[in-house]
Amino acid sequence: MTETMPLDPHTTGDADDRRSQLHAAIEVCDPAPLLMSLVHVTGDTGLLDEFGPRLTLSEPGNHYRTGTRPTAPPGQYPADVVDDIRARAHELLTVEMEDRLGVPDAELFVRMATVATSEYVAEEFVPILREQAGFVRSERRVPITVTPPADFSVIVIGAGIVGINAAIKLRDAGFTYRVFEARHEIGGTWSRNTYPGAAVDTPSHYYSYSFELNSEWSKYYPTGAEYQKYLKGVVESYGIAENIAFRTQVLSARWIEDQHVWEVTTRSADGTREVHRANAVVTALGMLNAPNIPDVEGMDSFGGRIVHTSEWDESIDLTGKRVVVLGTGCTSVQVVANIVDQVESLDVVVRSPHWIVPEKAVVSDVPDGEKWALANIPRYHEWFRLRAYWFASDNLYVMPRIDPEWVKTHFSASPANEMVLNTARNYLESSFPDRPDLVEKLTPDFRPYGKRIVKDPGFFKALTRDHVTLHRASFQRVTPDGVFTTEGKFVPADVIILATGFALEFTTSIDIVGRNGDTLADRWKGGDDPRAYLGIQVTGFPNLFVTAGPNSAPNHGAGHNILSEEHVHYIIECLQYLLENGHDAMDVRQDALEEYNRKVDEALDKTVWVHPGENVNGYYRNSEGRAVVPCPWRLVDYWTLLREPNPDDLEFLGSATPSDR
Ligand code: NAP
């Protein structure tokens, strides 16, 4: 059967309509989650015994570790197995289908996940997979016997992906909370980055809240606008907007030691300053907010328009214009691919190229049958999401890690890293078969994963167009009419787009003053040397929780969404711990912070981010070459560390009962 009719995930048609839609969807949807849905709907685990032996199992990430190429893309079933699953689904699924299995126990979950991914899934992954696939909401660990008193309040700074999540989970846990957001709307990154082509570069069936699955993503990698719409929908459905103060900038936060509270000063759009008190403060500012604007001679004299991608203004019309783009990160490639058809000429100025890999799904629409299955077939969505997570997470842990023997004789870091290198090199060479000059200019001089791998949304194709010129250079000087590159070429321009990324900023834009008058900015040497315990807590700043803090980004795989969920989970557990034990506040012990950071540095020393001899700049590292962004742990290990506070590492303040506060 082929998909000949329009599929409507929310069809209210009669049973015949739904039956037709179900069978059409079965023909196009992903067979692996479909098989899992068959197990859920029939309750027949014998299906796993029947299909399991027909799959070639590999160890998780085995081909990555050994550098061997899998015969089929990871997790894909052989064609005859696919046909048989579809046939069985036509036979067994009906429009009245229901999940008879519920959430599988650990043993069954391992069996199902192993069949669903065609890789051995160890039991240690079960809790994170159950949560991250969306089977269960994050499970509370600290016993809950005390209801948060109304006068115990929490301030959240920022209403992006983390702040929204914090608001939802604080609300669910019964805490009094308030969110301050400097912009006029929620969304953070996705509100700010509206440049042409802005899109998510992590698959959104996974890069979204595990507790708010969305079956309607139009693309596997949706636009920023679609992502922003998703976030707005979440805010609306949880009714948290009324607790968010928009256009309200947090200027400072000051710990009042004798009262064990924070005093937070805000400034609203009309300039009014207010001081608020809270028992805990959660910063949810992200780390890439402050645009990195190069300091180039003559920028002020430019007669046209200069714009940084994060400050895009919809009034900018590039039609028929001569445009120069500076930079070649994820943002630049999206801009270039998106504007190439519109402009008269396009000059891309590349100081140092990134490794770029092909990814067909970056521009693919999600077929209607897939959307129908996600919305209607029991547990299909959870297993679809589990696979999206599995193949983009700890399977990739090996990628940035240095194999000391291998690097003695290879440019790449390990056999696995070599696979990415070969993929990127082949893609580069096959994209420009007649342009060795472009191949040379676009070949990076650092190992893959030194900087974020870029998935190509059409950048290389754009560079082959007659009106597009690539310069392996930087800006030397800007004049009223254009740009002189460091190669000495003059490029006439009407618009200059700075796709130059961000100045790394870990919360130090706010004046945060802790115990003994210490400021977070001083402690972190103006933000250049940030160190936190678990990436979240800093000694001397009780009940301050810095989300997306130092060394917490999952740079080998997955996305910011997992960080959002695990950080918020940990914070709620900490707050509940305080209530359960009658404390006012917790402060991390200095020795615990130092020991944690010693382990972080030791683990990072073996990666392409800081290994001696690595020739990598970029925002992962500080001025001393220390990697301050990446989390060195496997996602499963970091997630496990963040299940609940470890009292041995913490000092507790106050023992007041709630009524004494
Ligand atoms: P980026 O990765 O930091 O890249 C900035 C680019 O600008 C680099 O090519 C850099 O060259 C260049 N540059 C910076 N200063 C320069 C100067 N003074 N002169 C010449 N060139 C200069 O920034 P980004 O592309 O905006 O990406 C930022 C982060 O956002 C990344 O993590 C990225 O993956 C993420 N992102 C995510 C999405 C998403 O969908 N989730 C979309 C876009 C971006 P050098 O390498 O030589 O410094």
Side-chain angles (χ1 to χ4, degrees):
M1 192 181 297
T2 52
E3 191 180 348
T4 53
M5 57 182 304
L7 281 161
D8 172 9
H10 308 295
T11 180
T12 50
D14 60 20
D16 280 348
D17 276 352
R18 283 185 61 79
R19 200 167 297 119
S20 305
Q21 305 230 344
L22 167 65
H23 290 294
I26 288 171
E27 281 304 305
V28 294
C29 71
D30 185 335
L34 182 60
L35 175 61
M36 295 305 112
S37 290
L38 287 181
V39 177
H40 278 276
V41 168
T42 60
D44 178 7
T45 56
L47 288 161
L48 302 170
D49 301 324
E50 183 186 335
F51 284 96
R54 296 175 63 188
L55 306 169
T56 316
L57 283 178
S58 65
E59 293 292 334
N62 196 31
H63 49 280
Y64 291 130
R65 263 194 283 281
T66 56
T68 53
R69 214 158 260 286
T71 45
Q76 281 199 5
Y77 290 158
D80 59 325
V81 179
V82 173
D83 289 345
D84 289 351
I85 292 169
R86 294 205 199 285
R88 202 59 77 79
H90 285 303
E91 182 194 320
L92 296 173
L93 295 185
T94 66
V95 289
E96 288 86 28
M97 57 197 164
E98 280 176 14
D99 175 16
R100 295 170 60 176
L101 207 61
V103 181
D105 65 24
E107 192 191 336
L108 180 57
F109 200 93
V110 164
R111 279 176 68 201
M112 293 180 79
T114 296
V115 175
T117 60
S118 318
E119 293 190 345
Y120 287 105
V121 175
E123 197 168 338
E124 65 172 327
F125 289 99
V126 171
I128 188 174
L129 287 177
R130 271 213 281 240
E131 178 198 284
Q132 283 302 305
F135 285 98
V136 296
R137 287 181 72 122
S138 87
E139 289 164 316
R140 300 285 295 273
R141 293 287 177 92
V142 172
I144 306 169
T145 64
V146 179
T147 303
D151 62 352
F152 186 97
S153 66
V154 183
I155 283 178
V156 178
I157 310 176
I161 184 169
V162 182
I164 292 168
N165 188 17
I168 291 170
K169 298 294 167 57
L170 285 165
R171 186 202 75 151
D172 288 356
F175 286 95
T176 302
Y177 71 94
R178 188 102 180 105
V179 183
F180 294 118
E181 167 56 55
R183 295 177 63 76
H184 63 289
E185 60 173 3
I186 60 100
T189 291
W190 302 107
S191 157
R192 195 176 300 111
N193 284 277
T194 59
Y195 58 82
V200 178
D201 65 0
T202 306
S204 273
H205 289 99
Y206 166 62
Y207 184 80
S208 45
Y209 297 126
S210 66
F211 53 90
E212 270 301 318
L213 306 189
N214 174 25
S215 55
E216 293 177 27
W217 295 116
S218 65
K219 293 177 182 300
Y220 294 100
Y221 295 84
T223 62
E226 187 171 349
Y227 201 83
Q228 174 72 347
K229 188 171 155 224
Y230 163 78
L231 290 177
K232 283 185 172 169
V234 172
V235 167
E236 194 176 328
S237 70
Y238 283 85
I240 54 171
E242 65 195 33
N243 277 16
I244 307 176
F246 292 103
R247 294 189 174 88
T248 305
Q249 195 179 359
V250 173
L251 302 174
S252 66
R254 181 174 301 274
W255 175 251
I256 310 297
E257 178 73 4
D258 57 359
Q259 297 172 44
H260 296 165
V261 294
W262 284 95
E263 268 185 10
V264 174
T265 305
T266 58
R267 183 177 57 209
S268 49
D270 64 5
T272 312
R273 285 178 189 242
E274 275 186 85
V275 178
H276 314 260
R277 288 161 66 87
N279 301 76
V281 172
V282 177
T283 72
L285 297 162
M287 59 180 90
L288 297 174
N289 289 317
N292 169 34
I293 310 283
D295 182 15
V296 181
E297 183 192 331
M299 291 238 293
D300 291 347
S301 71
F302 185 57
R305 181 89 189 251
I306 301 186
V307 61
H308 187 274
T309 47
S310 69
E311 292 171 341
W312 196 261
D313 165 352
E314 62 184 14
S315 71
I316 301 171
D317 181 6
L318 300 177
T319 314
K321 299 272 168 54
R322 298 165 304 169
V323 177
V324 177
V325 176
L326 180 63
T328 23
C330 298
T331 301
S332 167
V333 299
Q334 292 179 342
V335 171
V336 169
N338 193 272
I339 66 173
V340 66
D341 288 328
Q342 207 185 340
V343 299
E344 182 187 307
S345 67
L346 182 55
D347 287 76
V348 184
V349 180
V350 177
R351 181 166 71 180
S352 37
H354 290 226
W355 288 109
I356 298 183
V357 296
E359 169 59 289
K360 220 171 93 223
V362 165
V363 286
S364 303
D365 290 339
V366 180
D368 286 347
E370 193 76 84
K371 285 190 220 159
W372 198 95
L374 288 162
N376 294 294
I377 299 181
R379 300 296 189 187
Y380 180 92
H381 202 145
E382 285 88 338
W383 287 103
F384 187 93
R385 182 175 163 105
L386 181 142
R387 282 166 50 87
Y389 170 76
W390 182 257
F391 296 112
S393 55
D394 283 334
N395 267 0
L396 307 179
Y397 185 70
V398 64
M399 289 300 177
R401 263 140 264 278
I402 299 277
D403 175 335
E405 282 306 307
W406 181 268
V407 291
K408 286 181 188 162
T409 50
H410 294 82
F411 170 68
S412 60
S414 65
N417 195 265
E418 177 87 0
M419 276 174 65
V420 181
L421 178 65
N422 288 338
T423 302
R425 273 189 179 148
N426 290 341
Y427 180 54
L428 178 59
E429 283 160 15
S430 62
S431 297
F432 307 107
D434 309 322
R435 295 288 306 274
D437 60 314
L438 279 186
V439 172
E440 193 190 334
K441 285 179 185 170
L442 287 165
T443 300
D445 60 0
F446 55 88
R447 306 178 211 271
Y449 274 81
K451 295 184 197 176
R452 191 171 160 122
I453 299 282
V454 176
K455 293 172 185 160
D456 190 359
F459 179 63
F460 279 179
K461 196 160 161 236
L463 295 181
T464 62
R465 304 281 294 276
D466 288 343
H467 66 301
V468 181
T469 309
L470 182 96
H471 308 262
R472 178 74 184 259
S474 192
F475 283 8
Q476 193 265 330
R477 178 159 64 89
V478 176
T479 72
D481 308 315
V483 174
F484 278 101
T485 71
T486 45
E487 289 170 312
K489 290 212 174 93
F490 179 71
V491 184
D494 304 310
V495 179
I496 296 172
I497 300 176
L498 302 173
T500 43
F502 301 87
L504 200 56
E505 243 260 13
F506 286 104
T507 308
T508 41
S509 60
I510 298 174
D511 184 25
I512 298 182
V513 186
R515 295 168 99 176
N516 308 317
D518 287 353
T519 71
L520 192 63
D522 283 349
R523 179 72 60 82
W524 285 352
K525 301 193 179 130
D528 190 49
D529 194 21
R531 290 167 200 254
Y533 167 78
L534 299 175
I536 300 177
Q537 288 162 293
V538 187
T539 312
F541 298 83
N543 283 6
L544 174 72
F545 300 95
V546 181
T547 67
N551 297 111
S552 67
N555 285 144
H556 68 271
H560 198 58
N561 57 308
I562 189 167
L563 179 153
S564 148
E565 294 196 16
E566 59 202 359
H567 281 199
V568 167
H569 171 90
Y570 178 77
I571 293 164
I572 302 285
E573 295 295 314
C574 286
L575 296 177
Q576 189 68 36
Y577 187 94
L578 291 177
L579 298 184
E580 295 294 329
N581 293 282
H583 301 304
D584 292 340
M586 59 171 68
D587 193 4
V588 64
R589 293 161 50 118
Q590 181 68 28
D591 59 343
L593 182 144
E594 282 169 11
E595 176 59 9
Y596 180 78
N597 278 272
R598 190 191 60 71
K599 289 185 192 156
V600 165
D601 285 344
E602 192 178 274
L604 286 171
D605 280 348
K606 298 172 189 134
T607 67
V608 295
W609 300 309
V610 288
H611 189 258
E614 298 306 314
N615 180 25
V616 196
N617 54 5
Y619 69 88
Y620 286 178
R621 311 211 300 179
N622 71 3
S623 63
E624 304 284 312
R626 177 175 186 268
V628 291
V629 172
C631 177
W633 319 126
R634 292 187 310 163
L635 297 163
V636 64
D637 295 327
Y638 192 46
W639 184 91
T640 305
L641 270 175
L642 293 174
R643 284 312 86 197
E644 58 188 311
N646 176 1
D648 294 344
D649 290 345
L650 301 164
E651 177 198 342
F652 294 95
L653 280 60
S655 55
T657 58
S659 57
D660 295 334
R661 279 195 196 97

